[in-house]
Amino acid sequence: MATILDDRGQGRTGYAKRISSHLAAALVTFCLLQIFIVAKMGGSLALHLGIIIAIGGYAVAARALERRWQMLEQGGLSRGGLALRFRRDLLQLWGASLVGALLWIPVAIIFRFLFG
């Protein structure tokens, strides 16, 4: 876990690459959780289309985060400042991925209640 959160043995150029790896893993987790939850809740075509839209929105946000880290690395921040921002962004990224996918549970319940 220490190698995930710390920048040991890497230069300053490692953060953008590492955030990209976390974005890819979080996107896969986000997609699989959404598909699993909607399938278990008896998902309809409308819910599956909603998954496609949610994944598209996630991809746009992920690209913005990647650009942010490319710019942060080029800035004059200290190593400690970058490490702090990296940990904060990781917590937000994984929190949003897991909570965002779990939001399909109430959506599916409401959809089933309204449309049978």
Side-chain angles (χ1 to χ4, degrees), residues 1-21:
M1 189 65 155
T3 58
I4 293 172
L5 297 177
D6 287 340
D7 193 30
R8 294 181 185 150
Q10 293 184 348
R12 289 184 59 151
T13 60
Y15 284 110
K17 186 181 242 185
R18 288 170 49 205
I19 201 75
S20 294
S21 298

Side-chain angles (χ1 to χ4, degrees), residues 4-87:
I4 293 172
L5 297 177
D6 287 340
D7 193 30
R8 294 181 185 150
Q10 293 184 348
R12 289 184 59 151
T13 60
Y15 284 110
K17 186 181 242 185
R18 288 170 49 205
I19 201 75
S20 294
S21 298
H22 280 281
L23 282 167
L27 177 61
V28 169
T29 304
F30 180 71
C31 293
L32 291 176
L33 277 172
Q34 283 188 24
I35 292 168
F36 177 76
I37 290 169
V38 169
K40 286 293 183 185
M41 300 297 285
S44 68
L45 181 60
L47 290 176
H48 284 87
L49 290 174
I51 289 174
I52 293 169
I53 292 168
I55 292 170
Y58 186 97
V60 170
R63 182 62 191 136
L65 185 60
E66 278 184 326
R67 271 191 247 127
R68 176 179 184 264
W69 272 97
Q70 290 168 354
M71 290 185 344
L72 280 173
E73 280 188 337
Q74 294 171 356
L77 289 175
S78 68
R79 188 175 178 149
L82 284 173
L84 179 66
R85 284 172 176 76
F86 185 76
R87 284 191 299 266

